[in-house]
Amino acid sequence: MKAIVYERTGDATVLRPVDRPVPEPGAGEVLVRMAVAGVNPTDWKARRHGELPAGWQTPGQDGAGVVEAVGEGVDRSLIGERVWVWEAAWQRPWGTTAEYTVLPARQAVRLGAASFDLGACLGIPFLTAHRCLTAGEYLPDALHAGALADHTVLVQGGAGAVGNAAIQLARWADACVIATVSSAEKGKLAAAAGADLVVNYREQDVVAEVRKIAPEGVHAIVEVSTRNTDTDVQLLRTGGAVCVYADDGGGEVALPVRPLMALNARWQFVLVYTAPKAAKAQAVVDVAAAVEQGGVRVGEEAGLPLHHYPLTAAAAAHQAVEDGAVGKVLINTTDDR
């Protein structure tokens, strides 16, 4: 099979195409013929700063394809199923940027009739967004239609991949969703994803605009930047939660103690890889349900433009994400997707 690997950390030039034997699934594993791989910021960060316990790494946590074989103890009815996969490369060398990957069967989720492109966009962004929408004390443990009814959610950075996922999942769960963006173009994307109100933070007063439709504050803030701390403090309602999934803009947070004590507020930090197992398992179930019910879309019309690269251009795909591409970067791992 053709695969992309790196044998040392560094910039995108360390990625190279190789020919490797197709791996065999072990006990509890499945072999997936990949169709599309998704590229996430954690992929290039691991490529630059991660470890290589196997001496090599095929990058890519997310993707979609077809199960071709199963290992001992795995239901053979999975063979031939179209699936989306998550965390393929977490503490394992076999990522999704290859014609085949192997991974635990629980990390290959039935995709049904949805497109491989959609499947490759799920994984890290949607599981992260789910955690951000369920981690607060007054937030539900699971998402479904009506789960966030009477809730107001603020998504800081509504044009990013996690921001888009948070908007879509929150709307599917019937929340009122407000998104912040940095430009009119990104505002169109957040609106297309389903945001009820979009605020351009470069041109508008975020606190004033949000308070117009949420005078008591918001229940949850899906937060991409520590630079927004002052704004977040002003917009939380009693019992609200700020769920921080990135540190864009700085690595430290200073919080005013007494105002947040009065609100019984929560600052929740989120890294999907180390999230509680039960929460992650619920996220997989809920995201799969959202897909099955048509609550999740991708593409420009859904606020998530797709940028396709061939497998041989994996380095360019990584560089595009590292350079801040708006939308989702995908790698076509086969010609028959």
Side-chain angles (χ1 to χ4, degrees):
M1 71 170 186
K2 293 180 173 60
I4 301 299
V5 304
Y6 58 95
E7 296 174 321
R8 59 185 176 87
T9 56
D11 63 21
T13 62
V14 302
L15 298 172
R16 62 186 184 89
V18 300
D19 289 319
R20 286 267 169 95
V22 175
E24 294 185 4
E29 294 182 336
V30 295
L31 172 70
V32 179
R33 178 176 173 81
M34 299 303 302
V36 185
V39 185
N40 295 297
T42 53
D43 294 325
W44 70 257
K45 292 174 183 177
R47 187 203 70 228
R48 280 192 174 272
H49 309 295
E51 299 180 353
L52 296 168
W56 60 275
Q57 180 71 54
T58 290
Q61 303 290 350
D62 301 340
V66 176
V67 176
E68 285 216 348
V70 300
E72 181 183 353
V74 179
D75 187 348
R76 291 186 59 82
S77 70
L78 275 176
I79 297 175
E81 283 285 346
R82 304 169 76 255
V83 295
W84 59 277
V85 305
W86 53 276
E87 288 187 19
W90 173 241
Q91 299 180 332
R92 298 169 58 88
W94 301 100
T96 57
T97 315
E99 291 181 320
Y100 290 89
T101 194
V102 288
L103 73 167
R106 68 184 180 85
Q107 290 169 229
V109 187
R110 284 182 170 88
L111 183 60
S115 70
F116 287 136
D117 281 357
L118 187 151
C121 293
L122 299 173
I124 301 304
F126 276 82
L127 300 185
T128 298
H130 185 283
R131 177 64 176 161
C132 290
L133 294 170
T134 56
E137 187 173 2
Y138 297 110
L139 294 173
D141 294 327
L143 297 182
H144 51 78
L148 290 173
D150 301 324
H151 284 65
T152 301
V153 173
L154 172 61
V155 179
Q156 298 272 33
V162 174
N164 175 276
I167 292 171
Q168 292 203 62
L169 287 176
R171 287 296 298 124
W172 174 64
D174 293 316
C176 173
V177 183
I178 305 166
T180 63
V181 296
S182 61
S183 69
E185 292 75 14
K186 290 183 178 181
K188 292 177 182 178
L189 296 177
D196 298 284
L197 173 68
V198 178
V199 181
N200 184 334
Y201 66 81
R202 296 190 188 278
E203 299 178 355
Q204 297 173 283
D205 183 322
V206 175
V207 173
E209 294 301 317
V210 172
R211 287 285 182 180
K212 288 178 181 178
I213 66 171
E216 296 182 2
V218 301
H219 297 82
I221 299 176
V222 181
E223 186 55 77
V224 68
S225 176
T226 53
R227 291 175 296 184
N228 295 326
T229 300
D230 290 345
T231 297
D232 294 341
V233 169
Q234 295 180 67
L235 288 175
L236 276 184
R237 65 182 294 144
T238 300
V242 177
C243 297
V244 183
Y245 67 88
D247 63 355
D248 177 33
E252 296 183 357
V253 177
L255 300 174
V257 175
R258 289 203 172 274
L260 294 176
M261 286 176 61
L263 293 173
N264 276 270
R266 173 179 294 189
W267 235 262
Q268 176 76 47
F269 296 91
V270 174
L271 180 65
V272 68
Y273 302 109
T274 56
K277 290 182 178 179
K280 195 181 301 186
Q282 187 64 54
V284 172
V285 170
D286 294 349
V287 170
V291 171
E292 182 179 9
Q293 295 171 23
V296 172
R297 304 166 296 132
V298 295
E300 186 99 22
E301 66 280 6
L304 191 71
L306 303 180
H307 311 283
H308 285 273
Y309 291 78
L311 186 61
T312 53
H318 266 231
Q319 192 61 54
V321 176
E322 194 165 353
D323 291 342
V326 177
K328 186 69 177 182
V329 171
L330 300 176
I331 297 174
N332 300 335
T333 57
T334 181
D335 294 330
D336 58 357
R337 68 185 184 88

